[in-house]
Amino acid sequence: MMHDLLHTATSFLAEVPDFGGGEAPPGAERLLKVGRWVMWGVTFLCVVGFLFIGAKMVNAHRHGELEDQGKKLGIALFGVFIIGSATGIVGALLG
């Protein structure tokens, strides 16, 4: 008897609740528009950053100091990875 009660309670607690598709709150469209603008701005800054790092790498190669620029390129690539992951996670949550 106690075993059945415990089994029923744990199976009830283990179920994931289904809240349905949900409904966006009023004004959510404006918030999403701002999010798209921010994403566009961040993407633009990433492209400009890569161009800037590339130009500095060309100059550093002439002076034999390429290693420092390689570290900066690695940091920039990591930043792009984080940004790309964030958009994928948010897209999965909203979609």
Side-chain angles (χ1 to χ4, degrees), residues 3-72:
H3 179 11
D4 292 334
L5 181 63
L6 185 62
H7 178 67
T8 305
T10 55
S11 65
F12 174 75
L13 293 174
E15 290 181 19
V16 177
D18 182 17
F19 296 110
E23 181 179 326
E29 182 58 37
R30 288 183 284 180
L31 182 63
L32 292 174
K33 182 185 283 189
V34 170
R36 287 189 293 268
W37 287 351
V38 169
M39 187 59 205
W40 186 90
V42 168
T43 304
F44 175 76
L45 289 175
C46 286
V47 170
V48 170
F50 279 124
L51 293 174
F52 183 70
I53 291 171
K56 289 188 76 161
M57 287 180 82
V58 169
N59 189 35
H61 180 64
R62 292 181 186 159
H63 296 98
E65 303 168 352
L66 193 58
E67 293 147 6
D68 293 336
Q69 301 307 317
K71 291 177 186 176
K72 291 179 183 177

